[in-house]
Amino acid sequence: MRTEELITQLSRGLKPVHRLPSPLAMLGLWCLFCAGVIGAALLVSGLRADFAAWLMDGFDLYHLMSAALVALTAGYAAFQLALPDRDQRWALLPVPAVVGWLVTMGWGCLEDLARLGPEALQLGISLPCLGFIIGLGVPMTVAIVFLTRHAALLRPVPVAALGGLSAAAFASLGLTLVHELNAAVMVLVWHGIAVLVVTALGALAGPLLMQRAAV
Amino acid sequence: MPTPPVTGQALSGPASGRAGAAEDDRVTSDLVWDGLAGMSEAEERPARDARWSQMMARAQAGDARAYDALLRECLPLLRAICRRRLSDPAEAEDAVQDTLLTLHRVRATYDPARPFRPWIAAIAERRALDRGRGVARGLSRHTVLEAAEHVGAEGDAERRLDAAELRAAVGELPASQRTALQLTKIEALSLAEASARSGMSMGALKVATHRAIQTLRRKIGKEP
């Protein structure tokens, strides 16, 4: 087929399209959705028992804020990268927030170590914790993959991975409100593993889902 | 004071300071635009950029004529980008077509507040890169075509074209092969039923079907 004929065919029967909202507007939509999901999780599980005391604790507040920052920057980067003409360097946007997140968790570990001694390093297995982030993060990843489905033919993998990271960070945020963990090491390890799993799932399965959603 | 005749230099000065014009695809566009020097004499780059943005905005609103004209105007740019990445001209032309199909599908992602050229150039770069990697031949092209099927309800352009191509190729098959294909693959009859209907032996049907498919594959899939 000649290219000129293809153009004729493409323009014949052209349908109007709704222009995509800006990345910022998409981020707003995404945040609203996540807030809804976390709200629903709170309704089901209830706030953590030590919520008031926990609010006073500076470390957890930083931890919370850095997780929120990861969620927002990764989400925004995903919406930017989903558009054809945006710079690839958007992918680096969440890096400082991720580093900050790790630092707050690492700092928490050191504090625990100073307070409790070697006992703090004892690693319990917190499957509910892992399950919560993955259980919440995966459906949320599906949602952001749907929101960025137009990236299917452009750069699906980084977009889906960033979407997964944003979803996992939101899920981890939700978990912090629901579940109390007594040692920062546990937070670091279990949140870290869960976030990695969700991000990797996003990167692996996201592009396929995008193709499906876009068709 | 009479205004001096407009020259390329006179226009490019103030134009290059235009906000947002400093897009990140300079690598692509400068080379390509040098190649199109003959065309850009007629119309300066910023003016054309603005016009392309408007045309694309109209295309998003459903203006088929603006879309048709825009794509035709962009063809030299797309060809230049694809040929720079792909030495085989046929492969490059395939990449141009991939680009057109992709941009058709993602046309909602264009923001008319931004320049059009980086948007279309980024898509062309990506499709040319895919072709270059050899990924495109099997997977991507298939995906693009398949995915492009849903573009426009009555305008399923690619599908119609594919169907027309396929029909033409089937029409050129020998009668026995055509019958075999019709009965075994399209009507999905069993070999016994097809044999009863056509009077051909089951062995002959098998061979004819196989040959028909080989021929079609050669004609539609592999031909440059």
Side-chain angles (χ1 to χ4, degrees):
Chain A
M1 189 202 332
R2 289 181 61 235
T3 306
E4 283 78 3
E5 288 168 26
L6 176 64
I7 291 179
T8 308
Q9 294 292 336
L10 287 178
S11 45
R12 187 177 299 161
L14 180 73
K15 301 200 107 186
V17 285
H18 285 292
R19 209 166 286 147
L20 217 65
S22 73
L24 206 59
M26 298 290 271
L27 183 69
L29 199 65
W30 167 234
C31 288
L32 275 182
F33 171 79
C34 291
V37 171
I38 293 173
L42 279 180
L43 279 183
V44 174
S45 319
L47 273 176
R48 55 196 280 172
D50 60 343
F51 188 71
W54 168 80
L55 266 190
M56 299 287 132
D57 191 344
F59 139 69
D60 256 8
L61 193 64
Y62 285 129
H63 172 69
L64 208 66
M65 276 166 54
S66 54
L69 212 57
V70 171
L72 292 176
T73 51
Y76 190 62
F79 290 122
Q80 283 284 357
L81 277 185
L83 302 172
D85 55 345
R86 306 303 154 100
D87 198 302
Q88 286 186 2
R89 282 170 294 181
W90 276 110
L92 301 177
L93 185 69
V95 169
V98 169
V99 171
W101 198 17
L102 291 174
V103 166
T104 59
M105 287 198 267
W107 184 249
C109 291
L110 289 180
E111 275 187 345
D112 279 1
L113 199 62
R115 191 159 45 92
L116 305 171
E119 212 182 298
L121 291 178
Q122 278 179 355
L123 187 61
I125 294 178
S126 177
L127 282 183
C129 177
L130 192 69
F132 187 97
I133 296 187
I134 295 178
L136 214 57
V138 168
M140 281 157 87
T141 305
V142 172
I144 194 170
V145 159
F146 180 76
L147 286 176
T148 54
R149 62 193 181 281
H150 47 277
L153 296 172
L154 301 160
R155 35 192 163 206
V157 177
V159 170
L162 285 166
L165 177 61
S166 178
F170 268 122
S172 158
L173 208 72
L175 177 63
T176 321
L177 298 175
V178 169
H179 191 230
E180 54 186 293
L181 277 174
N182 36 16
V185 181
M186 305 246 293
V187 179
L188 179 67
V189 171
W190 292 111
H191 281 230
I193 291 177
V195 169
L196 271 181
V197 167
V198 174
T199 308
L201 278 178
L204 292 174
L208 286 174
L209 284 175
M210 266 179 205
Q211 300 276 14
R212 292 277 160 114
V215 168
Chain B
M1 195 180 89
T3 34
V6 179
T7 66
Q9 250 103 32
L11 257 185
S12 66
S16 60
R18 201 176 56 127
E23 54 273 357
D24 36 52
D25 74 322
R26 210 159 272 149
V27 193
T28 305
S29 47
D30 283 353
L31 278 170
V32 166
W33 279 85
D34 288 347
L36 300 175
M39 294 178 63
S40 57
E41 263 171 26
E43 184 181 12
E44 287 304 327
R45 202 205 247 197
R48 172 182 302 202
D49 279 358
R51 202 163 47 82
W52 279 4
S53 293
Q54 285 167 10
M55 286 165 96
M56 189 59 194
R58 293 220 305 272
Q60 285 178 324
D63 183 340
R65 281 180 60 191
Y67 191 51
D68 188 88
L70 175 66
L71 295 185
R72 274 169 215 284
E73 271 191 46
C74 289
L75 259 190
L77 171 72
L78 299 182
R79 287 190 170 129
I81 293 172
C82 294
R83 279 179 194 162
R84 203 156 43 79
R85 286 215 181 262
L86 300 159
S87 48
D88 177 9
E91 196 84 332
E93 197 61 18
D94 280 352
V96 170
Q97 297 194 4
D98 289 348
T99 305
L100 290 170
L101 290 171
T102 303
L103 91 82
H104 186 74
R105 271 199 64 206
V106 301
R107 63 191 192 278
T109 66
Y110 175 64
D111 173 4
R114 297 170 71 93
F116 179 69
R117 203 159 29 81
W119 185 83
I120 195 174
I123 296 174
E125 290 281 354
R126 183 139 288 270
R127 287 291 82 97
L129 211 68
D130 281 359
R131 281 267 156 198
R133 284 194 197 122
V135 178
R137 187 176 283 285
L139 200 133
S140 279
R141 181 160 179 78
H142 173 69
T143 315
V144 170
L145 280 174
E146 192 183 61
E149 277 184 3
H150 74 116
V151 290
E154 91 263 29
D156 281 345
E158 294 75 35
R159 190 162 54 193
R160 267 197 320 223
L161 276 182
D162 279 359
E165 237 176 289
L166 189 62
R167 252 198 308 276
V170 170
E172 288 165 17
L173 292 174
S176 62
Q177 289 184 18
R178 212 163 50 220
T179 311
L181 194 71
Q182 169 73 28
L183 295 178
T184 59
K185 297 294 170 194
I186 297 172
E187 295 183 24
L189 299 178
S190 71
L191 276 175
E193 288 168 319
S195 171
R197 280 263 296 271
S198 64
M200 290 164 78
S201 76
M202 277 160 58
L205 272 173
K206 263 194 210 166
V207 172
T209 310
H210 178 73
R211 286 200 180 137
I213 287 172
Q214 291 295 93
T215 311
L216 291 180
R217 210 169 262 160
R218 207 169 47 242
K219 278 200 173 136
I220 291 168
K222 299 274 166 61
E223 242 175 27

